[in-house]
């Protein structure tokens, strides 16, 4: 039941952020599904591994692969799918806490918060790189499938 709630809330947050950032309406469902599947992957991996790296890395791979597939299917730039899907994974809260502890003069907690946010950012970036490499391999199959499906529609 928790996974379903996580899916629904993350779908709503991805679509909501897509509306705020003026994503084309036709790609909102794809961005919402991509973001929610990535968040569920994050949530499930977090249940097994309580670290920062593996859950964020896994979610970034999911966003990268599903985002690229959605971009090909909906014929939009991949960033249109990436930006709303990524909003729930960005370590904004941790950065805020780090800056707050910096202004309060708490050096030890500042360094811990900044290290955590940097770790999350790096794991997301590496996850996107891995997803691009994987998608590069499956893109010819996907474009052939889309072209064949379009021929049957005409």
């Amino acid at each position: 039941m928790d996974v379903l709630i996580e899916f629904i809330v993350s779908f709503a947050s991805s679509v909501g952020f897509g509306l705020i950032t003026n994503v084309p309406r036709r790609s909102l469902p794809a961005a919402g599904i991509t973001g929610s599947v990535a968040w569920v992957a994050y949530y499930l991996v977090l249940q097994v591994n309580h670290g920062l790296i593996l859950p964020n890395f896994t979610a970034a791979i999911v966003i990268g692969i599903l985002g690229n597939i959605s971009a090909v299917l909906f014929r939009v730039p991949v960033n249109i799918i990436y930006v709303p899907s990524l909003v729930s994974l960005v370590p904004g809260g941790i950065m805020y806490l780090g800056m707050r502890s910096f202004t309060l003069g708490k050096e030890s907690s500042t360094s811990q918060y900044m290290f955590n946010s940097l770790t999350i950012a790096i794991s997301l970036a590496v996850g996107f790189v891995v997803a691009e490499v994987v998608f590069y391999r499956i893109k010819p199959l996907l474009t052939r499938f889309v072209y064949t499906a379009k021929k049957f529609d005409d």
Side-chain angles (χ1 to χ4, degrees), residues 84-144:
S85 302
L86 189 62
V87 72
S88 58
L89 297 172
V90 172
I94 297 173
M95 286 294 294
Y96 167 77
L97 292 173
M99 294 309 292
R100 188 175 122 214
S101 59
F102 175 75
T103 57
L104 294 175
K106 300 177 181 175
E107 290 85 13
S108 63
S109 61
T110 299
S111 61
Q112 184 64 40
Y113 285 129
M114 293 303 168
F115 178 77
N116 287 348
S117 60
L118 184 64
T119 302
I120 292 170
I122 289 171
S123 64
L124 290 173
V126 171
F128 278 123
V129 169
V130 169
E132 289 291 330
V133 169
V134 170
F135 183 73
Y136 178 76
R137 294 291 188 182
I138 64 173
K139 186 176 181 180
L141 298 171
L142 183 64
T143 53
R144 191 175 315 128

Side-chain angles (χ1 to χ4, degrees), residues 13 32 35 62-64 72 79 86 117 130 141 148 154:
S13 71
V62 170
I63 289 174
V72 169
N79 290 344
L86 189 62
S117 60
V130 169
L141 298 171
T148 307
D154 293 338

